Amino acid sequence: MDVDEGKVLAWTEAERLSVAELFEGLGEQDWSAATLCPKWTVHQLAAHLALSTKTGLKDTILGAIKAKGDWDRMTADQAIDHATRYEPAELVAQIREDAGSARRAPGAKPLDPLADVLIHGQDIARPLGLIRPMPEAPAIAALEHILASPFWGARKRCKGVKMIATDADWSGGAGPDEVRGPLADLLLASTGRGSGLAALTGPGTKRIGAHCKPPVEV
């Protein structure tokens, strides 16, 4: 799917505002709940989303040095630090204020912030027992980007797997092992979230599960 940057930014803005609404509907106890990101509570994940338009080159360099080159650790630590300095309502205001910003982390492509907010919306909602609809066209664009990008790890995780959506006219990837399921679950599984495998079927689930974090036996 070829999408111009203006449309991608519009999708990203809409999803950020939607996530802000999700946050505003949470109870006080929900902010300390775990998410599908093992290192983050809901509060800390909100901080990560608030930082998505604020992290510059200097922040990245200093963060990478502090984390000894570990990108995941750097990202986790930055969000945890930001969460200690801002209350939930303040983080939601930051997300709303910058929802339409085109600024993104150094090295990120236009589709990376969209994929990030789509995935993290599920990371928040699912452990809380909330159903969060996945917009079809943005999800397809994000999934195709993730499968092709070296950043997300999906090229290795989904190697040899053909993904087929059961809730949209879409398929992607190539290989002898098929995996079928809703777009949201394909998106989660492609980014290493084992919880996404529960709604998927096909021999490809075993291959993807072996490369989830942590590995999932299917």
Side-chain angles (χ1 to χ4, degrees):
M1 174 187 287
D2 293 324
V3 187
D4 66 74
E5 288 191 26
K7 178 164 283 190
V8 171
L9 183 57
W11 284 343
T12 305
E13 179 180 12
E15 196 63 19
R16 284 170 173 161
L17 293 174
S18 177
V19 166
E21 289 183 10
L22 170 63
F23 283 135
E24 289 167 342
L26 299 181
E28 184 178 349
Q29 72 283 358
D30 295 328
W31 286 89
S32 60
T35 69
L36 294 183
C37 298
K39 296 181 180 180
W40 288 336
T41 63
V42 171
H43 187 174
Q44 291 161 346
L45 206 161
H48 167 70
L49 291 174
L51 282 171
S52 66
T53 57
K54 302 179 186 303
T55 303
L57 181 59
K58 181 180 178 181
D59 302 311
T60 301
I61 292 172
L62 291 176
I65 293 171
K66 186 177 179 180
K68 298 180 180 179
D70 186 327
W71 184 273
D72 289 340
R73 178 184 166 190
M74 177 193 74
T75 304
D77 289 349
Q78 287 174 333
I80 291 168
D81 177 66
H82 199 62
T84 64
R85 293 187 284 118
Y86 294 97
E87 294 296 319
E90 294 175 306
L91 293 172
V92 173
Q94 290 173 21
I95 292 169
R96 283 194 173 280
E97 182 180 359
D98 292 342
S101 174
R103 187 180 180 189
R104 53 186 186 268
K109 303 298 183 185
L111 278 161
D112 285 315
L114 173 64
D116 195 56
V117 70
L118 284 169
I119 294 161
H120 286 319
Q122 300 296 318
D123 289 336
I124 299 157
R126 293 193 177 201
L128 295 175
L130 303 175
I131 297 174
R132 181 168 173 78
M134 179 72 71
E136 183 178 307
I140 289 173
L143 188 50
E144 290 182 349
H145 171 67
I146 285 169
L147 290 175
S149 170
F151 176 75
W152 295 87
R155 292 202 298 200
K156 177 180 179 181
R157 189 176 298 116
C158 302
K159 185 177 181 180
V161 175
K162 181 178 181 179
M163 290 187 160
I164 302 170
T166 55
D167 58 348
D169 183 17
W170 178 85
S171 64
D177 295 334
E178 290 187 355
V179 61
R180 296 174 179 267
L183 284 169
D185 296 280
L186 293 173
L187 197 57
L188 290 178
S190 70
T191 54
R193 288 151 172 83
S195 60
L197 292 171
L200 305 183
T201 60
T205 57
K206 185 174 183 179
R207 185 186 292 265
I208 295 173
H211 294 286
C212 282
K213 297 185 276 187
V216 177
E217 188 173 340
V218 180

